[in-house]
Amino acid sequence: MNFKMVAKTLFGMEELLANELRQLGASSIEIGIRNVSFEGDTGFMYKANLCCRTAIKILKPITGFNIFTEDDLYKKIYDIPWENYMDVKGTLAVNATVFSDVFTHSQYIALKTKDAIVDRFRDRVGERPNVDLDHPTLRINIHIDRNICTVSLDSSGESLHKRGYKTESVLAPINEVLAAGIIMLSGWSGQCDLLDPMCGGGTIMTEAAMIACNIPPNLNREEFGFETWPDFDVDLYEKIEEAALKKVRDFPHKIYGYDTDSIAVKKSRENIKNANLQDFIEVKQQDFFKSEKEKDSPMFIIFNPPYDERISVNDVEVFYSSIGNTLKRSYPGTQAWMITSNMEALKYVGLRPSKKIKLFNGKLESKLVRYEMYEGSRKASKQ
Ligand SMILES: C[S@@+](CC[C@H](N)C(=O)[O-])C[C@H]1O[C@@H](n2cnc3c(N)ncnc32)[C@H](O)[C@@H]1O
């Protein structure tokens, strides 16, 4: 039986997510702001969690109603048959998002919801479930838009950007969902080599290798929210996982990563190993500004340089102009994509972007820009 679901995503990734869901077989797809709603069955819910690269969460709405006071909320939540969704011995966590003039404190809404649920259990069975914010058996999501309250179960559990391969964290890592989305926006899907010249912990390279090989991004994840639901069908999940693994393909090109920092190089290698992708990715300690393109074939560059926010650079103008000079001088026949929140610094790159896309890196409004370096200058100098 099909039911409605809502997949949450980052700003600017909505179309990509809708496409992913369409390709996986979702129906009734509707694009919202930072979310896409769709329909599918339980197996599809498992598949969407396993396979969507640009989803942060997949919510399963169970009911909706109008509320005018906090008491209304308490009563309506109390009336939901929570015993169908969890055992009293289980644990719960409530998350609330609120867009309303009447209800303004999301924390308070979450607390009120939790109270109504535990009171219902206590009144019925004399015991109450405990709260566990980190690893609950049931995550509940409350969404209030003016007077409309939607109650959903969070089928993902922890955010889907937590793929499970990153055990080594570097300073200012890019979110996995953002990295995957940037690669998909660039149009790179494995058709040629790819370089991340400032690779840090290796997120862009790891996401890229999974895209190139069509590996489900959440294959290495410890757990999804739905696995602790009473109706979890482990056989169905395994079938879905097996079917997705049959679609894994070979990738005949290579992904390269540079970083000046030896610790970043070590950490990225560790993360890549965790994802079992070492055959496709090569990382070395290398200053991008002293590098040049190693092969004549076409190549993509995708990177996330320091913005001079979380990672500072000595002279941001010199740094960004070195990016432009290196690309121009040493990387002919390359399509380069770079994300930064430093709009002032971007001017010093000195190349005209052929595309600009607004995105957010965490809270930082950023631009993803494309520079196209044509073959020619090096060819000319070789003759
Ligand atoms: C924002 S971090 C990249 C984070 C990475 N995308 C991730 O997810 O972990 C920028 C990286 O650029 C590296 N870096 C700075 N200057 C560099 C240069 N000239 N050549 C190569 N890497 C450089 C820094 O050491 C840092 O690891």
Side-chain angles (χ1 to χ4, degrees), residues 166 170-174 196-204 258-261 264 286-289 304-306 311 319:
K166 215 184 255 179
V170 294
L171 210 57
I174 197 167
D196 178 349
M198 301 190 182
C199 68
T203 322
I204 293 174
Y258 300 156
D259 205 293
T260 38
D261 178 8
Q286 165 78 52
D287 184 342
F288 174 53
F289 304 146
N304 167 222
I311 298 186
F319 191 88

Side-chain angles (χ1 to χ4, degrees), residues 93-274:
V94 182
N95 194 48
T97 43
V98 178
F99 304 94
S100 161
D101 294 335
V102 186
F103 310 100
T104 46
H105 292 288
S106 56
Q107 294 281 27
Y108 185 70
I109 295 295
L111 200 70
K112 203 81 186 156
T113 303
K114 185 268 296 171
D115 285 348
I117 300 170
V118 303
D119 288 352
R120 179 181 173 99
F121 273 101
R122 204 173 353 206
D123 294 347
R124 297 191 152 229
V125 294
E127 267 184 273
R128 54 155 283 184
N130 284 326
V131 169
D132 179 347
L133 297 180
D134 297 326
H135 294 286
T137 21
L138 189 68
R139 266 179 214 267
I140 297 146
N141 185 282
I142 304 291
H143 181 92
I144 297 179
D145 183 359
R146 282 154 296 163
N147 290 318
I148 307 160
C149 175
T150 310
V151 181
S152 307
L153 306 183
D154 179 347
S155 75
S156 306
E158 278 200 291
S159 164
L160 291 174
H161 82 273
K162 297 198 173 167
R163 314 281 208 215
Y165 61 76
K166 215 184 255 179
T167 48
E168 297 290 337
S169 191
V170 294
L171 210 57
I174 197 167
N175 176 297
E176 290 77 350
V177 166
L178 180 60
I182 287 173
I183 298 161
M184 289 157 80
L185 285 170
S186 82
W188 188 88
S189 57
Q191 65 274 39
C192 60
D193 285 354
L194 173 79
L195 168 68
D196 178 349
M198 301 190 182
C199 68
T203 322
I204 293 174
M205 298 185 293
T206 311
E207 292 297 322
M210 291 197 287
I211 288 172
C213 301
N214 205 24
I215 296 171
N218 282 313
L219 193 64
N220 297 298
R221 224 173 121 90
E222 288 264 301
E223 193 175 76
F224 295 101
F226 58 72
E227 289 182 56
T228 46
W229 292 3
D231 65 352
F232 177 49
D233 185 341
V234 66
D235 294 336
L236 178 61
Y237 177 74
E238 279 170 5
K239 258 190 224 147
I240 302 276
E241 196 179 51
E242 227 171 83
L245 284 175
K246 280 206 184 109
K247 294 191 182 136
V248 170
R249 58 180 177 232
D250 197 23
F251 164 54
H253 302 285
K254 199 99 201 168
I255 297 167
Y256 299 95
Y258 300 156
D259 205 293
T260 38
D261 178 8
S262 63
I263 296 169
V265 170
K266 190 173 155 279
K267 288 183 171 178
S268 65
R269 284 191 184 135
E270 201 54 48
N271 291 333
I272 291 160
K273 205 167 134 216
N274 292 336

